[in-house]
Amino acid sequence: MGSLADPYALRCVSDLPPPFRPVFRFRYFNSLQCECFHVCFFSDVNMVISAPTGSGKTVLFELCILRLLSRFLLPDFRFNLVKGTLKTIYMAPSKALVQEKLRDWNTKLGPLGINCLEMTGDNEFYNNKAIHDADIILTTPEKFDSMSRHGIRNGGLGFFSDIALVLIDEVHLLNDPRGAALEAVVSRIKMLSRHGNMKSSPLASVRFVAVSATIPNIEDIAEWLLAPPEGIKRFGEEMRPVKLTTKVFGYAPAKNDFLFERRLQSFIYDILMQHSRGKSALVFCSTRKGAQEAAQCLSQTGASLGYSNPFMQSMQQYEHLREASLTCSDKQLQTCIVHGVGFHNAGLCSKDRNLVEGLFLKGDLQVLCATNTLAHGVNLPAHTVVIKSTQFFNKEKGQYAEYDRSMVLQMCGRAGRPPFDDTGTIIIMTRRETVHLYENLLNGCEMVESQLLPCAVEHLNAEIVQLTVPDISFAIEWIKCSYLYIRIKKNPENYGIKRGTPRDLLEKQIKDICVEKIHELVEYGLIWTDEYAFLLQPLEPGKLMAKFYLKFDTMKLIVKASACCSLEDLLHIICHSAEITWIQLRRNEKKILNDINTDKDGRILFHIVMGNGKRKKRIQTREEKLFLLANDCLTGDPLIHDLSLNQETNSICSNGCRIARCMREYFIYKKCYRSAINSMILANSLHQKLWESSPFLLKQLPGIGIVTAKALKSAGIFDFETLATADARKIESATGRNYPFGNHIKESLSSLPPKIDIHIEDAGNRLGKSTITVTLTRLSQAVRSNKRNFADMVVGSEEDNVILFHEKIRTQEFHSPYSVKVFVPCPQNARVTLKADLIFEEYVGLDVHKKHVISREDDLHETKERGIDKPVPAYNLPAEICLVSSRTAQTSRSQSHTEQSPLSKEVYVIEEDAAVSALEKADNVVGTRKFNNLASLEVPSFDLLPEEEYGEFYY
């Protein structure tokens, strides 16, 4: 077998240490794996491997993982894993590919005790402990980018110091718009690995291993990842286990993109007859409906030929398909299956999808028409792959656009079925003018470019927030760590720089790009820089943009928003946000949108109006469409049931909720009372897809949908209060359900936060300042459960629109009663309206709002609450006292609690010019802390939450 140092020797699994051999279910590695074996398993150098799909690149990843795990091998070859201390990060373009690897590696590496953690957004159950204990984190670049922004927030490097190996699958993703996130996180890791604090950590010697399909400029990626010559491995089509025939057919364009797709339908049958007769075939279509129509067209053609149906090879096959069709719940699929053709998309139930996959793998189903998502995650190879049109409807651009190159390569990778076939065929159907693009792609001739420049400002802000870029020199270094820097030097014209620019001038232009992005961030108050424009420090708006993963254009809208935004204003901001610009207004949607805005039944809360205040009769812009879709959805019983519009509405609500939560924190930071309260309400409404005023609030409870909610409303049960007092049998009678449905519904109320009341009292006034006590009292017993409920307690002044006090509390765990004293300046003959709000997180219809009016006439203090005179009881609770300036609007946590009562606090709200004297007076009060700098004062905190428990992963 040759020595282990011989790179061309045949490698056997027995060459590995005994604990690692069960990972592989074969005896010998193939020729590609043998050539890379020594570098993968017997060295720690960075690697870039370019090879065809299906040539066995995943095994190379596994060898690199085992190389890292070999550090836990004892001299006697016993494996002694120390969990989470050496982490591997695996990044792939799609969730499906991540989940496929997760299943595979759980099976292979699970017996070794390796803990694999998926991070894709489909699962949100991980926390800091799960990340800390994970040995392999499998994720997409976007999710890892957003998650890692929290991992190194405020300079705390978190789990990053344990990263020892980074595996990048399909690194040619760099060429797609989504490649910017991949480029950003790799550059971040490179920057951090050079940090002085990392010298003794695994991150200091982190290893990068990237694989891709055949590309011409693999050396550029190798230069970016610092791979030495021995780590660069390029393989051609000779390494593909099944030889492929590739053909790209060009067709004349039609009047529009939709008609072009429909016209291609008529060519598929002839293509299959010419290139795949009697062989299995996958036909990829851009939409669910397109896949279904293609299958129906082919099955009808086959059925019309009777016994000559080319998709039916035997009576036995026909009997299998006929029996299978009887178990199929989708009627259209059922009629297709019996003729040897099926379709596969996300619109099918899991049972039908599994049925189709099984029939195709057995060979009973000869042709399968599918959406491109089948190219990831489901192992369904075929002899022939047909890509019907290379365009899809790009939601971000609102028009048809070419597939990402990585997606095309994934679809092509399904062609050829070892060991059943020794050949495979790929057919790409495209427009005449794009034929050369796909010929270059299949032949490995397309250059991989950087996509970082268009979104560099967002990623640079994230680095400044994480303190990885503390000054302009580090910002330039960050650019130099990027793939963008490599490609600008090689192809400057592609990035707006004149070809032939001298090297010294090229370096200056690269620096200018960096300075330009920094100036944009400074202009909108996201970061701070000194007078020399050298030092860089994050400000709260910049931190929020990074935390909530917002685009810069969206953050600019928030920064420019009014301090007195209404719910309607905030919803308009969301509808103009960059996150949902992909949603466009189509001509055939205008009628239903016009009907919604006419709103004869008074369903929706807000309308599109003209300058004179009258409702518009014709919807004309995409922003108006978004506004109406959101309003229709938030009624709780939307009129729109179109699948496409429903998908767009879901996107508006999910993105809008994230944006509203960012606005909430921004307006709290700015001390803007009205905008902050409305942001909280809007975030919860978008999360639940219900306004507070909706008659279907009970939909928030498990087991209650719109039909049940309507039935309960008809019986006079329309909110949580009426449900709590309703008889269980009445609930069953109203909904037509059987016992014990009513009991279960009433029991579900226990998942809600406990009921809390707010009481506001006047505790007297002194020297023009009124003392107001705000007390929270729990009216119902808190139920202990795994789910923690949170609420924002806000006290604000209506006239000044200023937040006087804010705190986030755990509703189940605070000690009742809980009191806060607020000292409010109230000049003589003035009137101050104090408002106290308790806004529950996630739920709508539970919030508590109280108003308290303070007025002073001739030094007499008169208190009115909701127009009713109230006696003023004496409150003698010992308390901690803090001083807060209503002008500087600085907030943060108090640092100490009195031993007598940690549940009660006092807050002075003072005028700026009285700051010094007030501080001197406060120093004489028992239990009062003394501050020397008003700007550093912090609002007292009660039961504040660590980041890992609240609000860490919103996206």
Side-chain angles (χ1 to χ4, degrees):
M1 288 171 45
S3 70
L4 291 178
D6 181 2
Y8 298 102
L10 180 63
R11 300 298 181 194
C12 180
V13 172
S14 61
D15 290 341
L16 297 170
F20 297 158
R21 293 170 189 169
V23 170
F24 303 103
R25 295 183 178 85
F26 47 80
R27 291 183 60 191
Y28 296 100
F29 296 101
N30 67 23
S31 55
L32 176 146
Q33 295 154 0
C34 288
E35 186 170 336
C36 297
F37 183 92
H38 186 271
V39 183
C40 286
F41 190 73
F42 288 105
S43 78
D44 292 311
V45 302
N46 296 339
M47 299 183 69
V48 178
I49 304 106
S50 172
T53 303
S55 54
K57 298 189 291 291
T58 297
V59 170
L60 304 182
F61 280 159
E62 291 164 353
L63 287 172
C64 293
I65 293 172
L66 295 178
R67 164 69 180 179
L68 181 64
L69 296 178
S70 64
R71 300 185 195 180
F72 297 114
L73 285 175
L74 301 177
D76 60 356
F77 286 118
R78 284 189 296 113
F79 186 65
N80 185 26
L81 175 69
V82 182
K83 279 190 174 296
T85 54
L86 292 175
K87 295 190 189 300
T88 297
I89 306 296
Y90 168 84
M91 286 186 285
S94 70
K95 296 177 184 179
L97 200 53
V98 167
Q99 290 163 352
E100 182 183 5
K101 285 291 186 292
L102 178 71
R103 291 190 295 267
D104 190 27
W105 287 350
N106 272 334
T107 302
K108 291 180 175 180
L109 302 173
L112 291 172
I114 303 302
N115 182 16
C116 297
L117 177 67
E118 175 197 349
M119 287 185 176
T120 60
D122 282 349
N123 61 326
E124 298 296 341
F125 302 106
Y126 44 80
N127 51 32
N128 278 0
K129 185 178 186 306
I131 296 172
H132 182 269
D133 293 341
D135 300 301
I136 303 177
I137 296 174
L138 301 95
T139 183
T140 57
E142 294 89 349
K143 189 61 186 178
F144 187 71
D145 183 22
S146 65
M147 178 268 299
S148 62
R149 291 181 183 188
H150 299 281
I152 39 186
R153 189 188 297 125
N154 298 327
L157 296 174
F159 72 95
F160 254 61
S161 59
D162 296 326
I163 297 175
L165 176 63
V166 178
L167 306 175
I168 307 171
D169 208 348
E170 301 192 32
V171 71
H172 49 269
L173 174 71
L174 289 168
N175 210 28
D176 297 329
R178 293 178 52 225
L182 173 60
E183 191 172 341
V185 295
V186 171
S187 298
R188 181 177 307 152
I189 293 170
K190 288 171 65 178
M191 286 279 291
L192 287 169
S193 67
R194 301 172 186 176
H195 198 280
N197 294 340
M198 293 289 102
K199 286 182 179 178
S200 59
S201 71
L203 185 66
S205 54
V206 63
R207 184 186 193 186
F208 293 100
V209 179
V211 302
S212 82
T214 306
I215 53 176
N217 59 330
I218 184 176
E219 290 80 8
D220 292 341
I221 296 175
E223 182 181 351
W224 176 50
L225 296 179
L226 309 176
E230 64 271 22
I232 304 173
K233 301 290 183 181
R234 186 200 301 271
F235 300 95
E237 290 298 310
E238 72 279 358
M239 285 298 175
R240 192 182 291 274
V242 174
K243 302 305 177 186
L244 290 182
T245 301
T246 61
K247 294 185 179 295
V248 182
F249 296 149
Y251 298 88
K255 289 183 180 180
N256 57 54
D257 298 312
F258 176 75
L259 290 177
F260 178 77
E261 293 239 356
R262 292 293 296 268
R263 200 176 72 188
L264 293 185
Q265 190 76 47
S266 59
F267 297 106
I268 295 177
Y269 179 80
D270 291 336
I271 286 175
L272 292 178
M273 292 303 98
Q274 184 178 352
H275 299 282
S276 183
R277 191 177 183 94
K279 300 282 189 177
S280 61
L282 278 172
V283 180
F284 286 108
C285 307
S286 62
T287 64
R288 298 180 186 181
K289 189 174 182 180
Q292 181 176 324
E293 289 178 349
Q296 288 174 328
C297 182
L298 290 173
S299 67
Q300 289 167 6
T301 303
S304 67
L305 298 173
Y307 291 106
S308 300
N309 183 351
F311 308 128
M312 200 68 64
Q313 304 299 319
S314 65
M315 280 300 297
Q316 184 181 17
Q317 177 190 358
Y318 173 76
E319 288 297 327
H320 288 167
L321 293 174
R322 189 181 63 81
E323 291 175 8
S325 68
L326 298 177
T327 65
C328 183
S329 56
D330 188 283
K331 298 302 180 184
Q332 284 77 22
L333 181 60
Q334 192 176 58
T335 58
C336 291
I337 283 178
V338 292
H339 301 298
V341 181
F343 61 87
H344 185 290
N345 59 44
L348 295 175
C349 65
S350 59
K351 178 185 173 184
D352 285 353
R353 286 200 303 270
N354 293 334
L355 173 68
V356 169
E357 291 167 14
L359 291 172
F360 188 75
L361 284 172
K362 290 177 185 176
D364 289 333
L365 206 60
Q366 188 173 314
V367 179
L368 184 59
C369 301
T371 52
N372 53 45
T373 52
L374 187 70
H376 293 289
V378 182
N379 188 19
L380 289 181
H383 174 273
T384 302
V385 164
V386 178
I387 301 177
K388 192 199 84 170
S389 179
T390 56
Q391 289 197 331
F392 71 109
F393 187 77
N394 187 311
K395 295 177 179 179
E396 291 189 5
K397 296 180 180 178
Q399 60 187 17
Y400 278 83
E402 298 296 314
Y403 278 127
D404 294 343
R405 303 297 185 262
S406 59
M407 176 59 73
V408 174
L409 291 172
Q410 272 295 314
M411 291 188 282
C412 293
R414 294 300 179 186
R417 296 194 310 160
F420 306 106
D421 294 317
D422 54 6
T423 62
T425 303
I426 298 171
I427 309 292
I428 295 181
M429 306 170 71
T430 187
R431 288 162 175 74
R432 288 175 181 171
E433 61 269 22
T434 54
V435 167
H436 69 285
L437 294 178
Y438 295 97
E439 288 178 339
N440 290 340
L441 180 66
L442 295 178
N443 295 329
C445 300
E446 186 179 53
M447 303 292 283
V448 175
E449 298 288 352
S450 169
Q451 304 296 325
L452 181 63
L453 191 57
C455 51
V457 66
E458 287 92 348
H459 291 293
L460 182 57
N461 174 72
E463 303 305 326
I464 295 171
V465 166
Q466 293 161 141
L467 307 183
T468 53
V469 174
D471 59 48
I472 191 70
S473 63
F474 277 86
I476 295 169
E477 185 65 23
W478 176 75
I479 289 285
K480 290 185 176 181
C481 281
S482 69
Y483 184 62
L484 172 65
Y485 181 71
I486 307 294
R487 288 306 301 160
I488 283 180
K489 292 190 296 182
K490 300 288 181 69
N491 185 16
E493 283 182 320
N494 198 51
Y495 304 94
I497 299 175
K498 186 177 179 181
R499 181 174 290 277
T501 302
R503 186 172 181 83
D504 57 340
L505 189 56
L506 185 64
E507 290 285 337
K508 180 183 182 302
Q509 289 185 306
I510 291 172
K511 292 178 183 178
D512 289 344
I513 290 172
C514 189
V515 170
E516 178 190 349
K517 304 302 178 187
I518 289 173
H519 283 167
E520 290 182 51
L521 293 170
V522 171
E523 180 185 355
Y524 284 90
L526 273 63
I527 65 171
W528 172 89
T529 185
D530 62 356
E531 58 183 316
Y532 305 105
F534 182 74
L535 296 177
L536 305 173
Q537 291 183 9
L539 297 177
E540 189 63 21
K543 293 178 182 179
L544 293 177
M545 186 175 94
K547 175 181 178 179
F548 290 94
Y549 213 76
L550 296 189
K551 295 185 177 181
F552 184 46
D553 287 343
T554 300
M555 199 65 207
K556 287 193 286 188
L557 293 175
I558 296 174
V559 169
K560 291 188 292 185
S562 165
C564 300
C565 285
S566 65
L567 271 176
E568 185 176 8
D569 297 332
L570 295 172
L571 188 56
H572 275 298
I573 291 175
I574 289 172
C575 293
H576 284 79
S577 65
E579 280 70 15
I580 49 179
T581 53
W582 59 268
I583 301 177
Q584 298 297 312
L585 176 63
R586 305 178 189 92
R587 185 179 302 173
N588 63 342
E589 298 168 344
K590 291 184 178 181
K591 183 181 185 304
I592 189 169
L593 293 172
N594 292 336
D595 291 342
I596 291 173
N597 197 48
T598 302
D599 195 24
K600 294 179 180 178
D601 300 326
R603 297 172 55 256
I604 66 174
L605 191 58
F606 304 118
H607 303 85
I608 302 295
V609 296
M610 298 180 289
N612 58 8
K614 293 184 178 180
R615 297 176 192 174
K616 288 187 72 173
K617 295 182 178 180
R618 294 184 179 180
I619 300 306
Q620 296 172 308
T621 67
R622 55 172 297 279
E623 288 79 15
E624 292 173 348
K625 168 187 170 177
L626 300 179
F627 190 78
L628 289 176
L629 287 181
N631 268 282
D632 181 55
C633 174
L634 292 172
T635 62
D637 182 23
L639 285 179
I640 294 176
H641 300 290
D642 177 76
L643 178 61
S644 176
L645 288 174
N646 283 339
Q647 290 175 335
E648 293 173 348
T649 302
N650 290 336
S651 183
I652 295 168
C653 290
S654 60
N655 283 287
C657 180
R658 175 160 55 94
I659 296 167
R661 284 173 170 164
C662 179
M663 291 193 289
R664 163 197 171 276
E665 294 202 19
Y666 175 77
F667 289 123
I668 289 173
Y669 157 74
K670 297 293 287 185
K671 290 285 191 179
C672 303
Y673 172 75
R674 292 190 191 93
S675 293
I677 293 295
N678 287 326
S679 296
M680 296 176 193
I681 294 171
L682 182 59
N684 294 343
S685 296
L686 290 169
H687 175 73
Q688 292 290 353
K689 298 182 180 178
L690 289 166
W691 287 124
E692 284 185 309
S693 56
S694 171
F696 307 112
L697 294 176
L698 296 181
K699 284 175 61 180
Q700 298 172 85
L701 295 175
I704 297 183
I706 184 59
V707 175
T708 304
K710 283 183 175 180
L712 290 172
K713 176 178 174 290
S714 299
I717 304 170
F718 52 86
D719 59 16
F720 303 119
E721 291 286 341
T722 52
L723 180 63
T725 58
D727 180 70
R729 306 291 81 79
K730 179 184 177 182
I731 294 172
E732 291 159 359
S733 174
T735 58
R737 307 291 288 273
N738 296 327
Y739 173 87
F741 177 77
N743 300 76
H744 292 327
I745 291 300
K746 288 179 70 69
E747 288 169 5
S748 68
L749 288 169
S750 63
S751 65
L752 297 175
K755 187 176 180 181
I756 298 173
D757 184 42
I758 298 177
H759 186 62
I760 306 175
E761 290 183 323
D762 190 343
N765 94 87
R766 180 185 177 191
L767 300 176
K769 296 181 179 63
S770 297
T771 304
I772 303 298
T773 303
V774 181
T775 304
L776 302 185
T777 306
R778 190 185 293 117
L779 301 181
S780 62
Q781 187 62 34
V783 178
R784 290 287 175 183
S785 68
N786 293 331
K787 182 177 180 181
R788 291 179 175 179
N789 294 301
F790 306 98
D792 284 284
M793 179 185 177
V794 185
V795 180
S797 167
E798 187 175 62
E799 286 79 7
D800 296 335
N801 189 35
V802 173
I803 295 176
L804 305 176
F805 177 84
H806 167 260
E807 189 161 42
K808 182 165 285 296
I809 64 172
R810 293 191 182 109
T811 57
Q812 285 127 320
E813 299 176 17
F814 81 92
H815 299 281
S816 179
Y818 166 54
S819 296
V820 173
K821 285 189 177 180
V822 182
F823 292 76
V824 185
C826 186
Q828 191 171 0
N829 297 322
R831 175 189 177 96
V832 177
T833 305
L834 201 70
K835 286 189 172 181
D837 305 88
L838 194 66
I839 311 295
F840 288 88
E841 192 73 32
E842 295 189 359
Y843 292 98
V844 296
L846 294 175
D847 300 340
V848 184
H849 306 277
K850 288 292 177 71
K851 181 187 291 188
H852 189 80
V853 178
I854 308 168
S855 63
R856 290 186 63 221
E857 295 179 3
D858 299 325
D859 291 328
L860 296 176
H861 193 88
E862 180 181 346
T863 302
K864 298 178 181 179
E865 185 172 352
R866 297 190 180 275
I868 302 175
D869 293 341
K870 296 282 184 180
V872 184
Y875 259 78
N876 297 313
L877 293 175
E880 174 190 24
I881 303 176
C882 286
L883 303 172
V884 180
S885 166
S886 62
R887 293 186 183 176
T888 55
Q890 301 291 325
T891 65
S892 55
R893 305 181 185 184
S894 64
Q895 303 298 318
S896 62
H897 296 269
T898 61
E899 295 182 1
Q900 293 172 304
S901 176
L903 310 179
S904 176
K905 301 174 184 177
E906 295 185 2
V907 179
Y908 279 121
V909 181
I910 62 178
E911 297 300 326
E912 199 72 32
D913 52 5
V916 177
S917 60
L919 282 166
E920 291 173 352
K921 292 177 182 178
D923 191 38
N924 297 321
V925 181
V926 177
T928 305
R929 295 184 300 166
K930 183 174 181 179
F931 297 97
N932 295 321
N933 183 0
L934 189 63
S936 67
L937 294 180
E938 301 183 344
V939 172
S941 167
F942 171 73
D943 204 8
L944 285 177
L945 310 175
E947 286 288 354
E948 64 268 17
E949 292 187 8
Y950 171 76
E952 187 159 351
F953 300 106
Y954 283 116
Y955 19 79

